[in-house]
Amino acid sequence: MNSLILNPGREKSLQHRHPWVFSGAVERVKGEPAGETVAVRDCHGAFLALAAYSPASQIRARVWTYRESETVDEAFFRARLARAIGLRQDLAGETDGVRLVHGESDGLPGLVVDRYGDVLVMQVLSAGVEHWRDTLAGLLIELTGCANLYERSDAEVREMEGLALRKGILRGVLPAQLAIHEHGLKFGVDVEKGQKTGFYLDQRDNRRRIGELARDKDVLNCFCYSGGFSLYALRGGARSVLSLDSSAEALAMAKDNVRLNELPEDRAVWLEADVFKHLRLLRDQGRSFDLIVLDPPKFAPTAQHAAGAARAYKDINLWALKLLRPGGLLATFSCSGGVSAELFQKILAGAALDAGATAQVVGHFSAGLDHPAVLNFPEGEYLKGLLLRRTE
Ligand code: SAH
């Protein structure tokens, strides 16, 4: 096995168990094929980690293990996958839509696996996982007992790894209709054409919380996708739910989901609209709401995009606060790894100030337990949210 030697002083982050080696930290490495395992060493040759080499990426290597005695082979991945899958047992009664593997946070950098009923969806996001893709696919079938595995490696981050986008069936077949159960609601999931792997599993518990707060309220759900928060609000007894999304496909799925659950269709309005523009329009129309959900897409994938993202977050939150009746609640989220919880709260404070609103923080949101974040890898804690009450 070849070694990757770090520049002097660049061993610190690995010693703190942060699993990435950036290109600028690398002193030298023998021309290694993409995805191969290398031994990462400090400038004196001392062992630090075994990692997957990724020649095209700014993240030049991702750690598999900090133990020199381990071998990165099929048995290694069987153990890692079995552990990740085992840690999700606690969710068994709540849902059959579960994230089984969450990348770095499960010791498998670059691998995401979601289970929807008896279909697995795998995302291969790094050169290391690409190298082991076939082994991993076989192990996933073996360990879950699921016969069907679909690959959704069409996320743009693959391009940063020098990998082409790809999707398709890897094992078994896709059923004509696929639906999951989540806290007693049913959601159709389109793993081929849906966003990401088909569903936003990370918001499961937050959706339930919104459902519990919705009774007799006029609800506005912005960026509704396939109707997640809207369905919970309808089940929770909302007086009305207005849902906005720019994707016609997402809205069609959302309407199907309302029917699938036999929820009151007459209380729901779905609009294909750009949230940035539509919030202003609602204000012009003199509309107001008791409960607003803002769950936008990732505006800042990395910290470099934070400034532009901050403007976008501020804008939608400012207008949402204006539309909120006094005493009303705003559940506002950011899934940007590049925006910390601290920065997010600052942005919201600025938005409230400019909206002429006073708001209290009455709750915090994070991703569910199948989206863990290891302590030494803050990037893993991407989803954050606040529940605000407008007091004036
Ligand atoms: N809350 C959803 C997930 C939201 S994902 C759930 O619980 O499942 C973000 C959604 O925002 C996507 O459906 C995407 O189509 C939509 N979107 C992105 N930009 C938008 C814009 N400018 N206006 C409206 N919707 C937008």
Side-chain angles (χ1 to χ4, degrees):
M1 188 194 316
N2 279 325
S3 290
L4 181 154
I5 310 294
L6 297 182
N7 284 317
R10 296 306 293 265
E11 64 283 355
K12 293 257 168 12
S13 64
L14 287 183
Q15 283 167 344
H16 291 121
R17 299 280 164 109
H18 187 285
W20 292 350
V21 175
F22 286 97
S23 58
V26 178
E27 204 262 321
R28 75 191 126 90
V29 59
K30 274 224 186 104
E32 199 69 34
E36 290 281 342
T37 305
V38 290
V40 183
R41 299 180 185 278
D42 72 10
C43 62
H44 307 294
F47 176 86
L48 293 163
L50 295 176
Y53 183 58
S54 186
S57 175
Q58 283 293 99
I59 306 172
R60 199 50 55 88
R62 288 177 169 81
V63 173
W64 292 128
T65 175
Y66 298 94
R67 286 203 203 104
E68 193 165 12
S69 57
E70 271 191 298
T71 307
V72 179
D73 57 7
E74 184 169 349
F76 171 88
F77 289 111
R78 182 179 285 111
R80 283 278 161 105
L81 288 173
R83 183 179 70 189
I85 293 164
L87 295 176
R88 273 70 180 177
Q89 291 303 331
D90 294 343
L91 282 172
E94 286 176 31
T95 182
D96 56 359
V98 177
R99 173 147 300 186
L100 293 179
V101 181
H102 189 48
E104 278 74 359
S105 303
D106 283 302
L108 292 163
L111 177 65
V112 168
V113 183
D114 289 335
R115 178 174 190 159
Y116 300 113
D118 55 10
V119 174
L120 300 172
V121 185
M122 166 172 169
Q123 277 188 309
V124 175
L125 304 173
S126 67
V129 174
E130 180 81 7
H131 181 78
W132 291 99
R133 172 170 164 263
D134 207 46
T135 304
L136 290 164
L139 288 169
L140 283 166
I141 298 290
E142 174 194 317
L143 293 167
T144 60
C146 258
N148 312 305
L149 174 62
Y150 192 82
E151 181 177 7
R152 276 299 297 267
S153 298
D154 55 345
E156 279 167 22
V157 288
R158 265 178 75 95
E159 287 167 357
M160 295 195 246
E161 288 284 304
L163 301 169
L165 305 190
R166 180 176 59 216
K167 65 179 190 174
I169 193 89
L170 282 182
R171 301 281 195 280
V173 289
L174 278 186
Q177 298 278 338
L178 178 61
I180 58 156
H181 301 79
E182 184 185 276
H183 297 142
L185 285 170
K186 266 185 272 178
F187 287 95
V189 178
D190 186 341
V191 302
E192 276 185 292
K193 297 188 217 82
Q195 297 181 18
K196 290 209 187 166
T197 66
F199 198 63
Y200 291 88
L201 294 168
D202 52 359
Q203 290 282 24
R204 177 190 311 115
D205 297 339
N206 307 330
R207 287 191 278 261
R208 176 164 64 182
R209 190 116 164 256
I210 293 303
E212 290 162 359
L213 292 167
R215 181 154 300 283
D216 297 330
K217 292 192 174 145
D218 290 319
V219 178
L220 171 63
N221 180 16
C222 301
F223 310 97
C224 67
Y225 187 49
S226 58
F229 285 100
S230 307
L231 263 78
Y232 278 78
L234 288 169
R235 185 179 64 175
R239 186 161 50 213
S240 70
V241 181
L242 172 59
S243 308
L244 310 177
D245 202 283
S246 57
S247 158
E249 293 81 22
L251 291 163
M253 282 197 282
K255 288 183 212 173
D256 286 346
N257 284 333
V258 173
R259 281 189 285 274
L260 196 61
N261 291 277
E262 297 176 9
L263 289 164
E265 286 176 64
D266 54 330
R267 296 193 185 186
V269 175
W270 307 91
L271 286 180
E272 185 181 336
D274 177 352
V275 168
F276 289 87
K277 294 196 186 117
H278 205 78
L279 291 176
R280 290 167 166 83
L281 186 66
L282 289 170
R283 175 75 177 171
D284 291 345
Q285 293 170 345
R287 299 284 301 272
S288 64
F289 300 88
D290 303 300
L291 174 59
I292 301 181
V293 178
L294 287 180
D295 183 24
K298 189 167 22 180
F299 292 147
T302 71
Q304 278 102 51
H305 305 83
R311 280 192 293 280
Y313 285 120
K314 182 169 176 187
D315 188 74
I316 52 174
N317 281 282
L318 189 160
W319 286 94
L321 283 163
K322 279 182 191 262
L323 289 169
L324 209 55
R325 296 174 189 150
L329 292 169
L330 171 62
T332 180
F333 296 93
S334 161
C335 60
S336 294
V339 173
S340 66
E342 198 186 348
L343 174 60
F344 190 49
Q345 182 153 347
K346 265 197 201 137
I347 296 167
L348 297 175
L353 203 63
D354 288 7
T358 309
Q360 304 167 321
V361 178
V362 292
H364 289 85
F365 300 106
S366 62
L369 72 75
D370 50 343
H371 295 66
V374 284
L375 284 170
N376 329 42
F377 184 66
E379 293 88 338
E381 215 171 326
Y382 66 102
L383 181 66
K384 59 224 57 111
L386 289 176
L387 184 62
L388 302 179
R389 185 187 295 284
R390 178 167 182 177
T391 48
E392 288 171 31

